[in-house]
Amino acid sequence: MIRLSLRQFRTQGYLAIGLLGVAAIMLAATGPHFAHVYDAYAKAQGACIASPTCPNVRIGVSTLDSLLELIGTALVAVPALVGAFWGAPLISREFENGTHRLALTQSVTRTRWVAVKLAFVGAASVAATGLLSLMVTWWSAPMDAANMNRFDAGLFGERNITPLGYAAFAFALGVSFGVILRRALPAMAATLGVFLGVRLAFTYLIRQHLISPRHLSTTLAAITTGYGTNGGPSAQSSLFLSAPNLPNAWVYSTRAVDSSAHILNAHTVNSACPQLATASGPPSGASQVQASTAARDAFETCVTQLSATYHGVVTYQPASRYWLFQSYETGIYLAGALALVGLCFYWLHRHAT
């Protein structure tokens, strides 16, 4: 069975090795330059941090943004492609061609037949995705250090160990659809659609609930507060609190609340500070120096008045929980893959004749 599985997987395996080789060459050729540019800008910034003309590290490494985006997109697509092109046809092709009858009528049990296929091709899927993830994580380290935003939805799933969970889940999902539908093309289409739906739902609806966030109280101050107004005769003003400096943390929200946790709303701001609705004040605390003196004074008076009742509350996940989130998400996808593998064995025993 192992030799047969090797022969059947030979073409896909060679293609994967070739693509990984191309990616490795491309990343190895640009990686050292990428790291050198980052180091140069980081050192320059460290020496002139107080100067307004100090170079920005993010600008220095942004010349490779296009390549980073391309590599990131490829890493997002790889698990989905693995599920569609390696997982979905693995068993469904046998049904379409009728070759499953040969396997099921031999002395080899159907459990062993499927187990060998799943173990061999599944391990190759996870290994290929893991290698690509490892290379991208190494290559993009300077950019990630400059961004200081490891929880970003566009980066979290492209780095470290989560792609391993995605690949295992996508592969098991493809095999499951192949076993149930017994047609390769419908199984491939279903795999792509369902996997992308699961990824989006997990990223934007589930991930933030994996661990209870922390809360940080801050003082309501004009320097870290901005406001906006919708204009017109019934204009309403709203205050916006700047997030504190929390490198690599995942900030959910920053709100002004009172001692009873009631959120400061536009109606309260408008009642307490009616002058803000018509003043052409600063759009944010950082740019107050460009506002008129009258507008700045009105804004600061308003914030001081409101700070007697309200304070800021930052809801966030600290940077130290990054690997905890990586582990949880990877474990959940791996558990989903194991459940789908169990479904495959159950379905084959009940329906494959």
Side-chain angles (χ1 to χ4, degrees):
M1 286 304 300
I2 295 177
R3 183 175 299 176
L4 176 61
S5 297
L6 280 170
R7 291 178 62 85
Q8 290 177 327
F9 187 67
R10 184 171 49 191
T11 303
Q12 296 97 314
Y14 287 151
L15 178 62
I17 292 172
L19 292 176
L20 283 173
V22 171
I25 293 172
M26 186 168 60
L27 296 178
T30 57
H33 169 69
F34 199 12
H36 173 73
V37 170
Y38 170 77
D39 289 340
Y41 273 85
K43 289 178 181 177
Q45 190 181 52
C48 67
I49 191 67
S51 170
T53 58
C54 188
N56 187 296
V57 173
R58 182 65 181 76
I59 296 174
V61 295
S62 64
T63 54
L64 294 174
D65 267 354
S66 299
L67 184 56
L68 180 65
E69 185 176 347
L70 176 63
I71 294 296
T73 302
L75 192 50
V76 170
V78 163
L81 296 178
V82 161
F85 289 93
W86 288 7
L90 190 67
I91 305 295
S92 60
R93 290 288 188 203
E94 302 276 4
F95 284 117
E96 283 185 336
N97 299 329
T99 51
H100 70 289
R101 296 188 180 90
L102 177 63
L104 297 180
T105 54
Q106 301 300 309
S107 58
V108 176
T109 65
R110 67 184 62 185
T111 299
R112 184 181 175 188
W113 174 60
V114 176
V116 171
K117 282 179 169 291
L118 287 176
F120 184 74
V121 185
S125 304
V126 175
T129 307
L131 281 174
L132 184 59
S133 174
L134 181 65
M135 290 189 289
V136 172
T137 300
W138 166 79
W139 183 84
S140 60
M143 180 69 81
D144 293 344
N147 283 330
M148 292 190 294
N149 190 14
R150 303 178 77 187
F151 280 106
D152 182 84
L155 303 179
F156 185 85
E158 302 171 8
R159 307 286 190 271
N160 301 301
I161 61 175
T162 50
L164 302 178
Y166 302 154
F169 179 79
F171 174 75
L173 187 66
V175 176
S176 300
F177 276 121
V179 168
I180 294 171
L181 300 177
R182 301 192 178 195
R183 293 289 184 272
L185 284 179
M188 294 167 70
T191 302
L192 286 174
V194 173
F195 177 72
L196 292 177
V198 170
R199 279 291 316 274
L200 290 174
F202 199 102
T203 299
Y204 295 104
L205 299 178
I206 299 175
R207 181 182 296 162
Q208 61 181 324
H209 301 294
L210 291 179
I211 305 174
S212 298
R214 288 183 180 175
H215 303 283
L216 175 66
S217 294
T218 62
T219 303
L220 201 62
I223 192 64
T224 57
T225 306
Y227 80 93
T229 179
N230 57 4
S234 58
Q236 297 286 316
S237 300
S238 300
L239 294 186
F240 303 99
L241 275 64
S242 301
N245 185 24
L246 298 170
N248 285 314
W250 182 5
V251 179
Y252 289 3
S253 64
T254 304
R255 297 174 175 175
V257 299
D258 61 14
S259 57
S260 300
H262 294 140
I263 298 174
L264 175 63
N265 55 38
H267 176 72
T268 302
V269 175
N270 221 37
S271 299
C273 314
Q275 69 276 22
L276 290 184
T278 55
S280 55
S284 68
S287 59
Q288 289 181 56
V289 291
Q290 299 177 2
S292 67
T293 302
R296 186 170 64 248
D297 290 345
F299 176 72
E300 292 178 353
T301 301
C302 174
V303 174
T304 302
Q305 179 182 346
L306 290 172
S307 65
T309 306
Y310 292 89
H311 65 278
V313 173
V314 182
T315 304
Y316 73 106
Q317 296 288 355
S320 58
R321 291 181 177 176
Y322 174 80
W323 281 105
L324 205 55
F325 271 88
Q326 282 266 326
S327 302
Y328 280 12
E329 186 158 332
T330 304
I332 290 172
Y333 274 96
L334 289 177
L338 288 176
L340 289 171
V341 169
L343 174 65
C344 291
F345 281 107
Y346 169 78
W347 198 271
L348 283 170
H349 276 281
R350 296 282 295 182
H351 301 282
T353 58

